[in-house]
PDB file of all heavy atoms in Angstrom:
ATOM      1  N   LEU A   1     103.221 118.929 177.142  1.00  0.00           N
ATOM      2  CA  LEU A   1     103.387 117.479 177.103  1.00  0.00           C
ATOM      3  C   LEU A   1     104.749 117.097 176.524  1.00  0.00           C
ATOM      4  O   LEU A   1     105.422 116.188 177.024  1.00  0.00           O
ATOM      5  CB  LEU A   1     102.258 116.854 176.276  1.00  0.00           C
ATOM      6  CG  LEU A   1     100.872 116.849 176.947  1.00  0.00           C
ATOM      7  CD1 LEU A   1      99.792 116.542 175.917  1.00  0.00           C
ATOM      8  CD2 LEU A   1     100.836 115.845 178.076  1.00  0.00           C
ATOM      9  N   ARG A   2     105.167 117.784 175.470  1.00  0.00           N
ATOM     10  CA  ARG A   2     106.475 117.486 174.881  1.00  0.00           C
ATOM     11  C   ARG A   2     107.596 117.862 175.830  1.00  0.00           C
ATOM     12  O   ARG A   2     108.591 117.142 175.952  1.00  0.00           O
ATOM     13  CB  ARG A   2     106.648 118.229 173.546  1.00  0.00           C
ATOM     14  CG  ARG A   2     107.965 117.897 172.853  1.00  0.00           C
ATOM     15  CD  ARG A   2     108.161 118.675 171.582  1.00  0.00           C
ATOM     16  NE  ARG A   2     108.210 120.113 171.808  1.00  0.00           N
ATOM     17  CZ  ARG A   2     108.474 121.000 170.850  1.00  0.00           C
ATOM     18  NH1 ARG A   2     108.688 120.596 169.600  1.00  0.00           N
ATOM     19  NH2 ARG A   2     108.497 122.288 171.120  1.00  0.00           N
ATOM     20  N   TRP A   3     107.445 118.980 176.524  1.00  0.00           N
ATOM     21  CA  TRP A   3     108.460 119.394 177.492  1.00  0.00           C
ATOM     22  C   TRP A   3     108.598 118.349 178.592  1.00  0.00           C
ATOM     23  O   TRP A   3     109.704 118.016 179.021  1.00  0.00           O
ATOM     24  CB  TRP A   3     108.086 120.757 178.074  1.00  0.00           C
ATOM     25  CG  TRP A   3     109.181 121.417 178.841  1.00  0.00           C
ATOM     26  CD1 TRP A   3     110.499 121.034 178.898  1.00  0.00           C
ATOM     27  CD2 TRP A   3     109.072 122.584 179.663  1.00  0.00           C
ATOM     28  NE1 TRP A   3     111.209 121.890 179.702  1.00  0.00           N
ATOM     29  CE2 TRP A   3     110.360 122.840 180.181  1.00  0.00           C
ATOM     30  CE3 TRP A   3     108.021 123.425 179.997  1.00  0.00           C
ATOM     31  CZ2 TRP A   3     110.604 123.920 181.030  1.00  0.00           C
ATOM     32  CZ3 TRP A   3     108.259 124.491 180.830  1.00  0.00           C
ATOM     33  CH2 TRP A   3     109.539 124.739 181.347  1.00  0.00           C
ATOM     34  N   GLY A   4     107.471 117.809 179.028  1.00  0.00           N
ATOM     35  CA  GLY A   4     107.518 116.759 180.036  1.00  0.00           C
ATOM     36  C   GLY A   4     108.243 115.524 179.529  1.00  0.00           C
ATOM     37  O   GLY A   4     109.003 114.884 180.278  1.00  0.00           O
ATOM     38  N   ALA A   5     108.033 115.183 178.255  1.00  0.00           N
ATOM     39  CA  ALA A   5     108.731 114.033 177.674  1.00  0.00           C
ATOM     40  C   ALA A   5     110.232 114.291 177.582  1.00  0.00           C
ATOM     41  O   ALA A   5     111.044 113.370 177.789  1.00  0.00           O
ATOM     42  CB  ALA A   5     108.158 113.733 176.289  1.00  0.00           C
ATOM     43  N   LEU A   6     110.626 115.525 177.293  1.00  0.00           N
ATOM     44  CA  LEU A   6     112.053 115.860 177.215  1.00  0.00           C
ATOM     45  C   LEU A   6     112.692 115.893 178.601  1.00  0.00           C
ATOM     46  O   LEU A   6     113.879 115.575 178.758  1.00  0.00           O
ATOM     47  CB  LEU A   6     112.235 117.210 176.524  1.00  0.00           C
ATOM     48  CG  LEU A   6     111.877 117.257 175.036  1.00  0.00           C
ATOM     49  CD1 LEU A   6     111.910 118.689 174.516  1.00  0.00           C
ATOM     50  CD2 LEU A   6     112.819 116.387 174.216  1.00  0.00           C
ATOM     51  N   LEU A   7     111.900 116.272 179.616  1.00  0.00           N
ATOM     52  CA  LEU A   7     112.422 116.319 180.979  1.00  0.00           C
ATOM     53  C   LEU A   7     112.514 114.933 181.618  1.00  0.00           C
ATOM     54  O   LEU A   7     113.252 114.742 182.586  1.00  0.00           O
ATOM     55  CB  LEU A   7     111.523 117.198 181.853  1.00  0.00           C
ATOM     56  CG  LEU A   7     111.844 118.689 181.921  1.00  0.00           C
ATOM     57  CD1 LEU A   7     110.703 119.431 182.606  1.00  0.00           C
ATOM     58  CD2 LEU A   7     113.159 118.941 182.644  1.00  0.00           C
ATOM     59  N   LYS A   8     111.774 113.986 181.078  1.00  0.00           N
ATOM     60  CA  LYS A   8     111.667 112.668 181.701  1.00  0.00           C
ATOM     61  C   LYS A   8     113.021 112.011 181.980  1.00  0.00           C
ATOM     62  O   LYS A   8     113.209 111.401 183.044  1.00  0.00           O
ATOM     63  CB  LYS A   8     110.806 111.758 180.828  1.00  0.00           C
ATOM     64  CG  LYS A   8     110.309 110.507 181.543  1.00  0.00           C
ATOM     65  CD  LYS A   8     109.441 109.669 180.614  1.00  0.00           C
ATOM     66  CE  LYS A   8     108.222 110.449 180.162  1.00  0.00           C
ATOM     67  NZ  LYS A   8     107.358 109.636 179.260  1.00  0.00           N
ATOM     68  N   PRO A   9     114.019 112.096 181.061  1.00  0.00           N
ATOM     69  CA  PRO A   9     115.320 111.489 181.382  1.00  0.00           C
ATOM     70  C   PRO A   9     116.033 112.154 182.554  1.00  0.00           C
ATOM     71  O   PRO A   9     116.952 111.568 183.139  1.00  0.00           O
ATOM     72  CB  PRO A   9     116.121 111.677 180.078  1.00  0.00           C
ATOM     73  CG  PRO A   9     115.098 111.835 179.012  1.00  0.00           C
ATOM     74  CD  PRO A   9     113.974 112.571 179.675  1.00  0.00           C
ATOM     75  N   LEU A  10     115.613 113.382 182.921  1.00  0.00           N
ATOM     76  CA  LEU A  10     116.272 114.117 184.005  1.00  0.00           C
ATOM     77  C   LEU A  10     115.455 114.095 185.286  1.00  0.00           C
ATOM     78  O   LEU A  10     115.961 113.760 186.358  1.00  0.00           O
ATOM     79  CB  LEU A  10     116.516 115.573 183.568  1.00  0.00           C
ATOM     80  CG  LEU A  10     117.399 115.768 182.330  1.00  0.00           C
ATOM     81  CD1 LEU A  10     117.412 117.234 181.923  1.00  0.00           C
ATOM     82  CD2 LEU A  10     118.809 115.288 182.597  1.00  0.00           C
ATOM     83  N   VAL A  11     114.171 114.457 185.185  1.00  0.00           N
ATOM     84  CA  VAL A  11     113.322 114.528 186.377  1.00  0.00           C
ATOM     85  C   VAL A  11     111.868 114.593 185.913  1.00  0.00           C
ATOM     86  O   VAL A  11     111.562 115.243 184.911  1.00  0.00           O
ATOM     87  CB  VAL A  11     113.676 115.768 187.229  1.00  0.00           C
ATOM     88  CG1 VAL A  11     113.471 117.048 186.444  1.00  0.00           C
ATOM     89  CG2 VAL A  11     112.870 115.795 188.518  1.00  0.00           C
ATOM     90  N   PRO A  12     110.945 113.917 186.607  1.00  0.00           N
ATOM     91  CA  PRO A  12     109.527 114.026 186.238  1.00  0.00           C
ATOM     92  C   PRO A  12     108.964 115.381 186.652  1.00  0.00           C
ATOM     93  O   PRO A  12     109.416 115.985 187.625  1.00  0.00           O
ATOM     94  CB  PRO A  12     108.874 112.877 187.019  1.00  0.00           C
ATOM     95  CG  PRO A  12     109.770 112.672 188.200  1.00  0.00           C
ATOM     96  CD  PRO A  12     111.167 112.970 187.719  1.00  0.00           C
ATOM     97  N   ALA A  13     107.984 115.852 185.917  1.00  0.00           N
ATOM     98  CA  ALA A  13     107.350 117.136 186.229  1.00  0.00           C
ATOM     99  C   ALA A  13     105.855 117.022 185.991  1.00  0.00           C
ATOM    100  O   ALA A  13     105.406 116.281 185.117  1.00  0.00           O
ATOM    101  CB  ALA A  13     107.953 118.253 185.375  1.00  0.00           C
ATOM    102  N   ARG A  14     105.087 117.770 186.786  1.00  0.00           N
ATOM    103  CA  ARG A  14     103.632 117.743 186.665  1.00  0.00           C
ATOM    104  C   ARG A  14     103.185 118.533 185.439  1.00  0.00           C
ATOM    105  O   ARG A  14     103.723 119.612 185.142  1.00  0.00           O
ATOM    106  CB  ARG A  14     102.977 118.325 187.914  1.00  0.00           C
ATOM    107  CG  ARG A  14     103.190 117.488 189.173  1.00  0.00           C
ATOM    108  CD  ARG A  14     102.426 118.085 190.342  1.00  0.00           C
ATOM    109  NE  ARG A  14     102.943 119.400 190.696  1.00  0.00           N
ATOM    110  CZ  ARG A  14     103.889 119.607 191.609  1.00  0.00           C
ATOM    111  NH1 ARG A  14     104.433 118.580 192.247  1.00  0.00           N
ATOM    112  NH2 ARG A  14     104.289 120.825 191.892  1.00  0.00           N
ATOM    113  N   LEU A  15     102.179 118.014 184.741  1.00  0.00           N
ATOM    114  CA  LEU A  15     101.693 118.657 183.533  1.00  0.00           C
ATOM    115  C   LEU A  15     101.158 120.053 183.817  1.00  0.00           C
ATOM    116  O   LEU A  15     101.368 120.983 183.029  1.00  0.00           O
ATOM    117  CB  LEU A  15     100.606 117.797 182.878  1.00  0.00           C
ATOM    118  CG  LEU A  15      99.968 118.365 181.604  1.00  0.00           C
ATOM    119  CD1 LEU A  15     101.020 118.579 180.519  1.00  0.00           C
ATOM    120  CD2 LEU A  15      98.865 117.448 181.099  1.00  0.00           C
ATOM    121  N   SER A  16     100.470 120.231 184.939  1.00  0.00           N
ATOM    122  CA  SER A  16      99.920 121.548 185.269  1.00  0.00           C
ATOM    123  C   SER A  16     101.031 122.583 185.421  1.00  0.00           C
ATOM    124  O   SER A  16     100.905 123.718 184.949  1.00  0.00           O
ATOM    125  CB  SER A  16      99.095 121.467 186.553  1.00  0.00           C
ATOM    126  OG  SER A  16      99.888 120.998 187.633  1.00  0.00           O
ATOM    127  N   ASP A  17     102.128 122.200 186.076  1.00  0.00           N
ATOM    128  CA  ASP A  17     103.251 123.118 186.247  1.00  0.00           C
ATOM    129  C   ASP A  17     103.913 123.418 184.903  1.00  0.00           C
ATOM    130  O   ASP A  17     104.333 124.547 184.630  1.00  0.00           O
ATOM    131  CB  ASP A  17     104.281 122.531 187.211  1.00  0.00           C
ATOM    132  CG  ASP A  17     103.731 122.400 188.622  1.00  0.00           C
ATOM    133  OD1 ASP A  17     102.823 123.174 188.975  1.00  0.00           O
ATOM    134  OD2 ASP A  17     104.192 121.512 189.362  1.00  0.00           O
ATOM    135  N   LEU A  18     104.022 122.401 184.067  1.00  0.00           N
ATOM    136  CA  LEU A  18     104.621 122.585 182.746  1.00  0.00           C
ATOM    137  C   LEU A  18     103.797 123.544 181.899  1.00  0.00           C
ATOM    138  O   LEU A  18     104.343 124.402 181.194  1.00  0.00           O
ATOM    139  CB  LEU A  18     104.748 121.236 182.035  1.00  0.00           C
ATOM    140  CG  LEU A  18     105.771 120.259 182.615  1.00  0.00           C
ATOM    141  CD1 LEU A  18     105.561 118.867 182.033  1.00  0.00           C
ATOM    142  CD2 LEU A  18     107.188 120.737 182.324  1.00  0.00           C
ATOM    143  N   PHE A  19     102.478 123.424 181.982  1.00  0.00           N
ATOM    144  CA  PHE A  19     101.603 124.292 181.192  1.00  0.00           C
ATOM    145  C   PHE A  19     101.700 125.736 181.677  1.00  0.00           C
ATOM    146  O   PHE A  19     101.798 126.669 180.866  1.00  0.00           O
ATOM    147  CB  PHE A  19     100.156 123.810 181.279  1.00  0.00           C
ATOM    148  CG  PHE A  19      99.211 124.609 180.425  1.00  0.00           C
ATOM    149  CD1 PHE A  19      99.107 124.359 179.062  1.00  0.00           C
ATOM    150  CD2 PHE A  19      98.423 125.619 180.969  1.00  0.00           C
ATOM    151  CE1 PHE A  19      98.238 125.099 178.263  1.00  0.00           C
ATOM    152  CE2 PHE A  19      97.556 126.359 180.185  1.00  0.00           C
ATOM    153  CZ  PHE A  19      97.472 126.097 178.831  1.00  0.00           C
ATOM    154  N   VAL A  20     101.668 125.936 182.994  1.00  0.00           N
ATOM    155  CA  VAL A  20     101.775 127.293 183.544  1.00  0.00           C
ATOM    156  C   VAL A  20     103.109 127.923 183.143  1.00  0.00           C
ATOM    157  O   VAL A  20     103.157 129.079 182.682  1.00  0.00           O
ATOM    158  CB  VAL A  20     101.626 127.271 185.078  1.00  0.00           C
ATOM    159  CG1 VAL A  20     101.947 128.645 185.661  1.00  0.00           C
ATOM    160  CG2 VAL A  20     100.218 126.849 185.474  1.00  0.00           C
ATOM    161  N   ALA A  21     104.213 127.182 183.301  1.00  0.00           N
ATOM    162  CA  ALA A  21     105.531 127.716 182.961  1.00  0.00           C
ATOM    163  C   ALA A  21     105.638 128.006 181.467  1.00  0.00           C
ATOM    164  O   ALA A  21     106.240 129.007 181.056  1.00  0.00           O
ATOM    165  CB  ALA A  21     106.619 126.728 183.381  1.00  0.00           C
ATOM    166  N   THR A  22     105.039 127.145 180.643  1.00  0.00           N
ATOM    167  CA  THR A  22     105.093 127.338 179.188  1.00  0.00           C
ATOM    168  C   THR A  22     104.374 128.613 178.779  1.00  0.00           C
ATOM    169  O   THR A  22     104.915 129.433 178.030  1.00  0.00           O
ATOM    170  CB  THR A  22     104.474 126.131 178.469  1.00  0.00           C
ATOM    171  OG1 THR A  22     105.259 124.967 178.733  1.00  0.00           O
ATOM    172  CG2 THR A  22     104.435 126.363 176.963  1.00  0.00           C
ATOM    173  N   THR A  23     103.152 128.803 179.255  1.00  0.00           N
ATOM    174  CA  THR A  23     102.383 129.975 178.847  1.00  0.00           C
ATOM    175  C   THR A  23     102.978 131.264 179.409  1.00  0.00           C
ATOM    176  O   THR A  23     103.030 132.289 178.715  1.00  0.00           O
ATOM    177  CB  THR A  23     100.914 129.836 179.289  1.00  0.00           C
ATOM    178  OG1 THR A  23     100.869 129.523 180.698  1.00  0.00           O
ATOM    179  CG2 THR A  23     100.234 128.728 178.522  1.00  0.00           C
ATOM    180  N   ILE A  24     103.448 131.224 180.655  1.00  0.00           N
ATOM    181  CA  ILE A  24     104.094 132.414 181.225  1.00  0.00           C
ATOM    182  C   ILE A  24     105.376 132.721 180.452  1.00  0.00           C
ATOM    183  O   ILE A  24     105.680 133.891 180.166  1.00  0.00           O
ATOM    184  CB  ILE A  24     104.392 132.200 182.718  1.00  0.00           C
ATOM    185  CG1 ILE A  24     103.096 132.207 183.527  1.00  0.00           C
ATOM    186  CG2 ILE A  24     105.327 133.289 183.243  1.00  0.00           C
ATOM    187  CD1 ILE A  24     103.280 131.914 185.002  1.00  0.00           C
TER     188      ILE A  24
END
C-alpha cells in the first residue's frame, strides 16, 4: 500500500501486483 502511494505521482499500480512484487 505504501509503495502504491509512492508510485502515485508517477504511475498508478494495482495492489495485487504491488503485493506480489513486494513479497518476491
